[in-house]
Amino acid sequence: MSTTRSAPRKSARAAAVPEPEPQRLTGRLKVILAVLLVAQFMLAVDFSILNVALPAIGDGLGFSLSDLQWIATAFALSAAGFTLFFGRIGDLVGRKKIFLGGLAVLGLSSLTGGLATTPAILIAARVAQGLATAAVTPAGLSLLTTAFPEGPLRQKALGLNGALMSAGFTTGAILGGILTDLLSWRWSFFINVPVAIAVLLIAPAVIKESRPERRPRLDLPGALSVTVGLLGIVYGLTQAGEHGFGHPTALGSLLVGAALLVAFWFIEGKVAEPLVPLRILKRPAVAWGNVLGLLAFVTETSLVYLLTLYMQESLGFSPLTAGISFGVLGLGTVVGGMLASRVIIRTSTLTALVAGGLIQAAFTGIMLLIGPDTASMWLLLPATFFGGIGNMLVIVGFMVTATSGLPDAEQGLATGLATMSQQIGITMGTPVMSAVVTAATAGAVTAGAILHGVTTAIAVNAALVLVGVLIAAVFLRNREQAAHS
């Protein structure tokens, strides 16, 4: 009698055990990872590839000196402002569709930019590139987090993704200099076209569609308020970097953007199906994780700007030489990305965040010793390498923190928030540090004044990294303890 009763119970227990998730990368997962990483790397390159080429573009198309900034600003505004909106659209129509559609737009807009004959056509192409980035980046990250189960495999995938995203930013500076010097600035656009075509040919066959089981409604008031609010903040920061925070346009844009983001918070608390449910924003891992991500991208990308200014204006390096110097930083970020998942698996995410931040802050602080001669490069190069490792530990830790513990139905939102933090960080870092340099130099343009302005901004940069360490240690400690209890 007991035997006949035990068999059904055993069978029920066996049926209740979920199918084990793969613990190793299968052939299909490797192809998926490669496709998504190539796309994300290409998007990261686009953030910086034109920086070195701006003077050549101005000469070639007749941009005025004051209008050159719009080549970067047009891209940054659309990329940062529409990320959260497109993250939700991906939940509605399918992340794979948004990913592929965005890549197609990126390829076409890159071709258009490379063939541009007037400033207006090129700016329109940059806006389209930014919108494509706002669509592809969160969709690609959502496809990655839903394709890889939470745990070591996802941490490894996020580590590689973070490494290539950060390396792509520095690679863009190098690649832009090489292409502009050897070929033409137009190849900074054309290079995207074959990569986009290759991904579009392979991705449909290997990537599965990903969307929530129930299609949510689009929260139009929330989408409008957060999108226009972010546009105001990003535009205000770019104007502050050029004219200072007291400039009426900068101050007005920042105030309007902030007011709309406050309105967004109240809207989300009242609508039936909010774009960003407040319960998710109130999760410490999501809220503080995204703050850490924003600080990580603000500090590292703005450091690239500061060191470019130092090498070209104080040391007299050419744009190509300065760009190539960032290869050391790129190598450090790749090493950090490969180490990050191992650190998280063997210790904890909090350890990666705190240790990475301390490493980044220490080696950023060492850069305060740079001087007016090229001998400082012996200090600068190893400092950027190890600082890049520390920064990448923080970035991967932020990605894991901000996307863990959430169901697949909320991954689009979580990755949209993470991508928004990343892109706003990339966008706002340079204008914020530019404003610091402008204030410290008091309008002087001598090599000595610029060196003083750069070191002042480096000190602010290191302080922001330490703020991130403090946030992680204080606000994420209880979460880490709960996860291991």
Side-chain angles (χ1 to χ4, degrees):
M1 196 74 173
S2 61
T3 304
T4 54
R5 286 179 181 170
S6 63
R9 283 198 300 269
K10 183 176 181 180
S11 175
R13 282 196 303 270
V17 175
E19 183 180 342
E21 299 283 5
Q23 296 302 309
R24 300 183 64 180
L25 285 175
T26 63
R28 180 176 173 275
L29 284 179
K30 288 179 181 178
V31 175
I32 292 173
L33 184 61
V35 168
L36 294 175
L37 291 185
V38 166
Q40 300 284 31
F41 180 77
M42 178 176 65
L43 296 170
V45 166
D46 276 348
F47 268 100
S48 57
I49 193 168
L50 291 182
N51 289 353
V52 175
L54 289 180
I57 295 173
D59 292 339
L61 293 184
F63 275 89
S64 68
L65 187 62
S66 61
D67 287 341
L68 270 182
Q69 60 146 334
W70 282 102
I71 298 174
T73 302
F75 178 89
L77 283 170
S78 49
F82 287 86
T83 294
L84 200 56
F85 174 74
F86 279 120
R88 174 55 82 190
I89 294 296
D91 289 341
L92 289 169
V93 305
R95 296 152 190 164
K96 179 180 176 180
K97 290 179 182 176
I98 289 293
F99 179 77
L100 297 176
L103 277 175
V105 172
L106 182 68
L108 288 172
S109 58
S110 297
L111 181 62
T112 302
L115 297 173
T117 55
T118 66
I121 293 174
L122 189 131
I123 293 298
R126 287 296 279 169
V127 170
Q129 280 186 321
L131 291 173
T133 299
V136 174
T137 306
L141 194 55
S142 294
L143 291 169
L144 189 148
T145 56
T146 53
F148 292 85
E150 189 168 329
L153 276 186
R154 183 183 293 180
Q155 290 163 4
K156 182 176 182 179
L158 288 174
L160 291 171
N161 180 77
L164 286 180
M165 285 293 288
S166 187
F169 187 84
T170 53
T171 300
I174 300 169
L175 198 56
I178 293 173
L179 291 173
T180 301
D181 274 12
L182 299 183
L183 297 171
S184 162
W185 61 264
R186 296 182 183 277
W187 282 95
S188 296
F189 285 95
F190 289 148
I191 195 171
N192 284 337
V193 178
V195 179
I197 291 173
V199 175
L200 285 169
L201 290 174
I202 299 170
V206 296
I207 296 177
K208 294 181 179 179
E209 184 58 277
S210 169
R211 64 160 63 93
E213 293 181 4
R214 188 184 69 83
R215 289 180 60 180
R217 294 180 180 178
L218 179 61
D219 167 23
L220 192 57
L224 287 173
S225 59
V226 73
T227 299
V228 180
L230 288 172
L231 289 173
I233 294 291
V234 173
Y235 180 70
L237 288 170
T238 59
Q239 292 302 295
E242 185 178 359
H243 305 294
F245 283 97
H247 191 272
T249 302
L251 190 59
S253 297
L254 290 170
L255 289 175
V256 170
L260 285 170
L261 292 181
V262 171
F264 169 72
W265 178 273
F266 286 105
I267 289 170
E268 298 309 273
K270 295 183 179 298
V271 296
E273 293 192 46
L275 181 69
V276 183
L278 295 185
R279 59 181 173 77
I280 292 182
L281 288 177
K282 291 177 180 178
R283 291 174 63 104
V286 173
W288 293 114
N290 278 287
V291 170
L292 293 176
L294 188 146
L295 288 173
F297 280 99
V298 161
T299 52
E300 196 66 9
T301 55
S302 65
L303 190 64
V304 172
Y305 161 74
L306 294 173
L307 297 182
T308 299
L309 191 63
Y310 167 67
M311 286 188 280
Q312 293 191 39
E313 300 297 333
S314 290
L315 300 184
F317 286 5
S318 69
L320 180 58
T321 303
I324 290 173
S325 301
F326 289 119
V328 176
L329 173 60
L331 181 60
T333 59
V334 171
V335 172
M338 293 188 292
L339 289 175
S341 59
R342 298 179 185 179
V343 171
I344 292 171
I345 291 169
R346 294 181 181 179
T347 57
S348 66
T349 308
L350 180 61
T351 299
L353 290 167
V354 172
L358 290 174
I359 292 169
Q360 183 185 349
F363 284 98
T364 302
I366 287 174
M367 295 181 203
L368 291 172
L369 301 176
I370 58 175
D373 54 68
T374 57
S376 294
M377 294 302 293
W378 291 105
L379 179 150
L380 195 64
L381 292 177
T384 57
F385 174 78
F386 289 107
I389 292 176
N391 178 256
M392 191 46 54
L393 290 175
V394 177
I395 287 175
V396 177
F398 134 68
M399 287 288 190
V400 172
T401 301
T403 59
S404 295
L406 295 169
D408 284 355
E410 294 177 351
Q411 282 299 321
L413 174 58
T415 54
L417 286 169
T419 305
M420 182 183 71
S421 300
Q422 166 190 304
Q423 293 186 351
I424 291 177
I426 291 173
T427 302
M428 69 186 289
T430 296
V432 167
M433 291 302 161
S434 177
V436 173
V437 172
T438 301
T441 58
V445 292
T446 63
I450 290 173
L451 176 60
H452 172 67
V454 167
T455 52
T456 301
I458 287 174
V460 174
N461 192 296
L464 288 175
V465 178
L466 289 175
V467 169
V469 172
L470 186 63
I471 288 172
V474 173
F475 295 105
L476 294 177
R477 185 176 182 182
N478 291 336
R479 173 187 177 274
E480 198 72 35
Q481 290 173 341
H484 288 85
S485 61

